[in-house]
Amino acid sequence: MDTLFGYPGGVVLPLYDRFPHYPDINHILVRHEQAAGHAADGYARASGKLGVALATSGPGATNLVTAITNAHMDSVPTLFITGNVTRSLLGKDGFQEADITGITMPTVKHNYLVMRPDDLAYAFKEAAYIATTGRPGAVHIDIPKDVFIEEAEFSWPETINVRGYNPPSTAEQGSIQQAAEIIDHSERPLIFAGHGIILSDAADDLRKFAEKSGTPVVNTLLGLGSIAPDHVLSYGMMGMHGSYWANHAASNADVIIGLGMRMDDRALGRFEDMNPTAKIIHVDIDPAEHQKNLETHVPIVGNVSDVLKQLTNAVQKATHPDWLSWIDDLRIGHRASMSVPEGPELTAQYAIARIADYIGTESVLCTGVGQHQMWSAQFGAISRPRQFITSGGLGTMGFEVPAAMGAQAACPDRSVWTICGDGGFQMTFQEIGTMVDAKLPVRMAIMNNCYLGMVRQWQELFYDQNLVDVDISQPDFLKIAEAYGIKGIRVDNQEDVDAAIEEAEATEGPVLIDFRVVQQDNVWPMVPAGAALSETIESAEESAMS
Amino acid sequence: MKVSRNGSRQTIAALVEDRPGVLTRVASLFRRRGYNIESLAVGTTDEQGVSRMTIVVEGTSEVGDQVAKQLDKLIDVINAAVLDSTESIDRELALIKVVARPDQRREILDVAEIFRASVVDLSVSSLIIQITAANETIEALTDNLRPYGILEMVRTGAIALVRGEDTTQVVEFEDDELRRFHMGSGRIPTGQLPHLSD
Ligand SMILES: Cc1ncc(C[n+]2csc(CCOP(=O)(O)OP(=O)(O)O)c2C)c(N)n1
Ligand SMILES: [Mg+2]
């Protein structure tokens, strides 16, 4: 660990007091603890390393809760450290006491309240081990103030032994054989590739397996980047805003191989009708994901990277030309609903596609939550693991700015762009201050549609166009840029998009671009909440009919 | 008869670290995932630092499997498994206080005897019956006692073990230092501490 994001306060002062003695620790002072948490999360997603955030007791600690939940829900290896009141005041409602371990218990992989200074080294080693191994996740350590102060003999434990925790690696050979047999006999196999591929650095293993077995691949939102979009077997994103062809391939496959994904409702639509006749093979390191939402024929417990190597060995070489051309035909026929809209207006889709094209795959693309997020997934040309950083499970607006800040801290040599919602940006833009201080040159591109766009879309489609509290007002974003002393660029039409992107890339950074995009556009295709993937609709007219 | 593996009630055995907060973690998991606990019994085991929980949940065998896997995911749960009711013995202790006028006593004692229950307290107008049996037997006994009037009743919840030589689990040994660390994290302050405010 070298970088942590934090915010001081009474009970963690003893720790801050020592920071000057440890110049190797890069402490980045944020403006709000939630942002420290999201930054640690973005840092971990971009680098694969443990992300760390630090906060004081009471309000500092409770401000972390959204970020902890967000990181844990997307299985991001993160460590959250909070201070608490002196041991003798615990449970006495002392000033700024919050029962933070009680609060975080259901949203972490594990948490600790360290009551003895002798135990600190153990707690940190074990916490880091638990956060980064198996199915990664958030771990939280709470430390009373006097535990920071009291002196203890330092001894770093050589080994870690947690008898209640044995993360698996390779899978049982029996389940591999069973799966291989089913795959060898399939006519229309399909891979659902999820976040696990990225978390376990298994993109190569995925490609080899897909190529040998001739199996096409669709991605979940967080699985984007596990296979390059230009690979012949890559068919893009499935799910609520996935492509028509990916969703129909999912509904028509005879064998589905879920890899490092949790069969989530946003990816699968109505479970009962996802594809009732397919044989389902589900590989996940967390056995509790098997049979949770969907009946699985072959559950395989293991690290997806190891399991893919085993499966690649076990299956026969195969091709499925008829099946691929069936999906290809759908793709040709339904391209339109997954294309940047034509016309002279400045759309978010256009701006995002231009940004993606300009910055290339070596950059990092972060997003907030809403329409701009889905368009980033659709038009961001995500080709590399860890290129795309987005809040999937929790769907946290306000993630865009601090997560990008964390990603930039992790990848100083990459260009980090974040596609912001005008709503989400207003939740956490105070972190521009942090970026300026810590010299984190993030490029912020606001898709300013003057709406809480995704909510407006739902009100339009499912609440009879009754638009309530979605036309959120905007400050002058350029004045905000100015207030922080950074460059701000406004773009009102298509012609100016490329020049603005170029200027932003050429600027030292941080930079903000206010894209004044079309206000009332909707994200297509869409699987309405509660509908099946086969009920994917491609336009408002179709939605009105159904 | 006993509810089978596919019935509407599942018995789960979990070996857990005997640590502060472990019961909260388990209870919190049940609340969060919406599992319905019918009973939960906790006690120490022969292994120092390890407790055993027997949890009876409402639901199908699929629910039982999910509960066991979710429990197993908790770091403080060493392992958890659904017990096959035909392959295991489960017992529960109940104390039942029944209205017993002197003229009804004999009759009630007969009922108790049929169920191999014993009388552990006697007063002018009531008696306390103690029974150790499987859930269904206790249900049957209470059905038979209800006409006399049950004043109060308390049950421990089931505990269960697999029949024969099989055990539910083997526990890895934890050395003293590690155990001391694992036992240490909890909200109870140890020793005399200075009382200072910030
Ligand atoms: C913290 C939080 N609050 C509320 C929501 C519900 N929500 C989902 S999308 C959305 C609108 C987002 O608006 P904006 O950031 O402008 O993005 P747009 O959809 O317009 O691209 C809202 C309110 C959320 N996801 N997160
Ligand atoms: Mg908006």
Side-chain angles (χ1 to χ4, degrees):
Chain A
M1 176 201 121
D2 46 29
T3 301
L4 79 164
F5 302 87
Y7 206 87
V11 301
V12 289
L13 287 183
L15 183 61
Y16 276 84
D17 191 49
R18 307 306 292 170
F19 279 156
H21 298 267
Y22 298 91
D24 290 349
I25 296 179
N26 176 24
H27 175 272
I28 296 177
L29 173 65
V30 297
R31 297 296 182 273
H32 187 294
E33 291 87 352
Q34 180 191 354
H38 289 324
D41 182 332
Y43 178 93
R45 291 187 207 228
S47 64
K49 293 194 286 186
L50 181 68
V52 187
L54 166 66
T56 190
S57 67
T62 53
N63 271 349
L64 275 182
V65 171
T66 301
I68 294 175
T69 312
N70 187 80
H72 189 57
M73 208 146 169
D74 286 348
S75 310
V76 181
T78 39
L79 176 62
F80 297 89
I81 307 162
T82 54
N84 212 327
V85 298
T86 292
R87 282 171 287 180
S88 57
L89 282 175
L90 279 178
K92 308 277 187 343
D93 306 315
F95 177 63
Q96 292 193 330
E97 181 189 3
D99 174 15
I100 193 63
T101 43
I103 291 173
T104 62
M105 193 174 284
T107 67
V108 293
K109 191 165 170 185
H110 197 50
N111 64 12
Y112 303 82
L113 171 60
V114 182
M115 294 294 280
R116 275 186 297 241
D118 296 352
D119 292 340
L120 280 169
Y122 254 121
F124 274 86
K125 182 140 184 172
E126 196 175 284
Y129 168 67
I130 289 174
T132 53
T133 54
R135 177 178 180 178
V139 176
H140 168 215
I141 302 181
D142 193 27
I143 307 167
K145 179 177 184 180
D146 54 334
V147 173
F148 280 121
I149 296 170
E150 214 176 280
E151 292 208 1
E153 196 65 43
F154 180 80
S155 89
W156 188 241
E158 288 299 315
T159 55
I160 280 296
N161 179 17
V162 192
R163 59 185 169 186
Y165 177 65
N166 302 297
S169 52
T170 50
E172 236 178 78
Q173 200 52 38
S175 59
I176 296 288
Q177 285 311 336
Q178 219 182 328
E181 189 131 322
I182 292 175
I183 295 166
D184 287 343
H185 288 96
S186 66
E187 286 171 6
R188 301 182 307 281
L190 184 68
I191 291 170
F192 293 174
H195 201 196
I197 300 288
I198 289 159
L199 291 167
S200 63
D201 291 323
D204 264 354
D205 305 308
L206 168 66
R207 191 180 41 76
K208 286 179 190 149
F209 170 71
E211 286 171 359
K212 183 170 180 195
S213 60
T215 309
V217 182
V218 297
N219 288 119
T220 66
L221 175 68
L222 292 185
L224 287 171
S226 58
I227 187 162
D230 55 8
H231 191 283
V232 283
L233 292 169
S234 175
Y235 285 92
M237 187 170 73
M238 65 186 298
M240 182 170 271
H241 293 293
S243 68
Y244 185 91
W245 57 90
N247 287 346
H248 278 266
S251 316
N252 285 279
D254 66 346
V255 171
I256 287 169
I257 310 159
L259 299 174
M261 48 88 66
R262 58 188 173 83
M263 301 287 175
D264 170 62
D265 55 286
R266 279 295 192 265
L268 264 57
R270 187 167 67 240
F271 296 126
E272 305 87 270
D273 298 314
M274 198 279 291
N275 183 335
T277 58
K279 285 219 156 54
I280 295 174
I281 298 163
H282 187 190
V283 181
D284 205 285
I285 198 159
D286 178 359
E289 290 303 342
H290 294 134
Q291 324 285 10
K292 186 182 78 178
N293 291 339
L294 208 66
E295 204 193 319
T296 303
H297 302 85
V298 188
I300 301 182
V301 182
N303 181 319
V304 72
S305 168
D306 297 321
V307 173
L308 276 169
K309 291 184 181 86
Q310 290 177 283
L311 278 176
T312 307
N313 275 332
V315 294
Q316 278 160 22
K317 217 173 147 33
T319 53
H320 300 282
D322 292 350
W323 171 225
L324 292 190
S325 69
W326 185 86
I327 312 176
D328 286 333
D329 285 348
L330 277 187
R331 178 154 62 177
I332 292 160
H334 294 265
R335 247 305 171 221
S337 65
M338 224 355 155
S339 301
V340 172
E342 284 171 20
E345 294 134 324
L346 173 56
T347 60
Q349 297 91 309
Y350 179 82
I352 292 165
R354 292 308 304 149
I355 291 170
D357 189 49
Y358 190 89
I359 68 177
T361 57
E362 287 310 310
S363 307
V364 175
L365 193 70
C366 306
T367 80
V369 169
Q371 293 186 313
H372 66 282
Q373 174 189 33
M374 292 300 122
W375 286 322
S376 300
Q378 293 176 341
F379 304 112
I382 310 303
S383 313
R384 161 182 83 75
R386 308 194 181 283
Q387 179 189 351
F388 188 53
I389 295 180
T390 197
S391 165
L394 198 63
T396 310
M397 281 174 72
F399 181 71
E400 54 262 67
V401 173
M405 178 170 95
Q408 185 73 78
C411 308
D413 300 330
R414 292 189 195 272
S415 172
V416 175
W417 280 72
T418 184
I419 309 296
C420 309
D422 52 314
F425 182 79
Q426 292 188 65
M427 284 191 168
T428 47
F429 73 72
Q430 79 282 344
E431 296 307 321
I432 298 173
T434 309
M435 292 179 192
V436 170
D437 286 354
K439 304 206 165 33
L440 297 169
V442 173
R443 272 90 188 162
M444 293 163 275
I446 304 175
M447 296 302 133
N448 186 355
N449 55 8
C450 301
Y451 272 112
L452 299 175
M454 188 56 94
V455 178
R456 182 195 45 72
Q457 175 166 350
W458 281 53
Q459 290 181 344
E460 222 176 276
L461 299 176
F462 311 119
Y463 291 86
D464 220 7
Q465 314 246 18
N466 187 23
L467 303 192
V468 182
D469 287 326
V470 287
D471 55 342
I472 190 170
S473 78
Q474 331 304 332
D476 181 336
F477 289 126
L478 295 199
K479 287 206 173 125
I480 286 174
E482 195 189 330
Y484 282 102
I486 67 168
K487 183 181 245 350
I489 306 166
R490 174 158 295 139
V491 179
D492 292 295
N493 52 60
Q494 263 191 28
E495 292 76 63
D496 299 336
V497 169
D498 285 15
I501 297 169
E502 211 163 312
E503 188 181 352
E505 276 282 274
T507 306
E508 190 66 26
V511 195
L512 179 158
I513 313 179
D514 178 16
F515 287 99
R516 308 298 304 259
V517 299
V518 169
Q519 295 191 0
Q520 301 223 347
D521 206 350
N522 287 338
V523 182
W524 303 110
M526 180 173 195
V527 180
L533 289 184
S534 58
E535 293 159 359
T536 304
I537 50 178
E538 298 181 273
S539 68
E541 297 74 53
E542 212 183 318
S543 161
M545 274 157 42
S546 60
Chain B
M1 260 320 288
K2 271 203 287 189
V3 181
S4 83
R5 183 77 172 73
N6 291 312
S8 59
R9 191 189 287 149
Q10 314 293 325
T11 304
I12 291 149
L15 280 192
V16 305
E17 299 288 354
D18 181 12
R19 278 178 206 170
V22 64
L23 186 60
T24 317
R25 289 185 203 276
V26 170
S28 167
L29 171 76
F30 277 79
R31 176 195 54 79
R32 157 152 152 60
R33 303 264 177 202
Y35 305 133
N36 220 339
I37 304 186
E38 195 160 292
S39 70
L40 187 156
V42 201
T44 55
T45 63
D46 198 34
E47 179 75 36
Q48 202 192 340
V50 178
S51 296
R52 182 168 171 132
M53 291 187 180
T54 309
I55 305 164
V56 180
V57 290
E58 268 173 35
T60 59
S61 66
E62 287 77 22
V63 170
D65 288 339
Q66 257 299 311
V67 172
K69 288 193 289 187
Q70 292 289 354
L71 277 173
D72 220 357
K73 213 156 109 169
L74 295 177
I75 308 290
D76 284 349
V77 172
I78 299 165
N79 56 44
V82 185
L83 300 185
D84 185 332
S85 65
T86 58
E87 298 293 324
S88 60
I89 301 279
D90 59 297
R91 288 290 178 272
E92 186 175 355
L93 171 67
L95 296 173
I96 309 160
K97 188 181 287 180
V98 197
V99 177
R101 293 193 316 271
D103 62 319
Q104 291 176 316
R105 263 188 209 153
R106 189 63 258 166
E107 233 176 279
I108 296 173
L109 289 181
D110 285 347
V111 173
E113 198 175 317
I114 292 169
F115 286 90
R116 290 197 221 150
S118 51
V119 173
V120 293
D121 182 67
L122 182 64
S123 76
V124 183
S125 60
S126 74
L127 47 80
I128 297 178
I129 294 174
Q130 169 189 309
I131 180 168
T132 303
N135 179 300
E136 294 73 17
T137 312
I138 298 177
E139 300 284 326
L141 173 62
T142 51
D143 285 348
N144 280 282
L145 293 175
R146 200 161 291 120
Y148 303 98
I150 295 177
L151 290 170
E152 205 174 13
M153 176 164 112
V154 59
R155 294 169 68 160
T156 56
I159 55 172
L161 276 185
V162 177
R163 290 174 197 270
E165 287 164 14
D166 287 352
T167 56
T168 323
Q169 58 279 302
V170 185
V171 181
E172 244 176 89
F173 176 74
E174 197 171 52
D175 69 36
D176 286 350
E177 206 183 339
L178 203 58
R179 176 175 318 129
R180 199 190 53 80
F181 161 61
H182 282 146
M183 292 296 296
S185 79
R187 291 181 73 82
I188 313 128
T190 44
Q192 270 301 323
L193 298 162
H195 190 91
L196 49 96
S197 168
D198 295 296

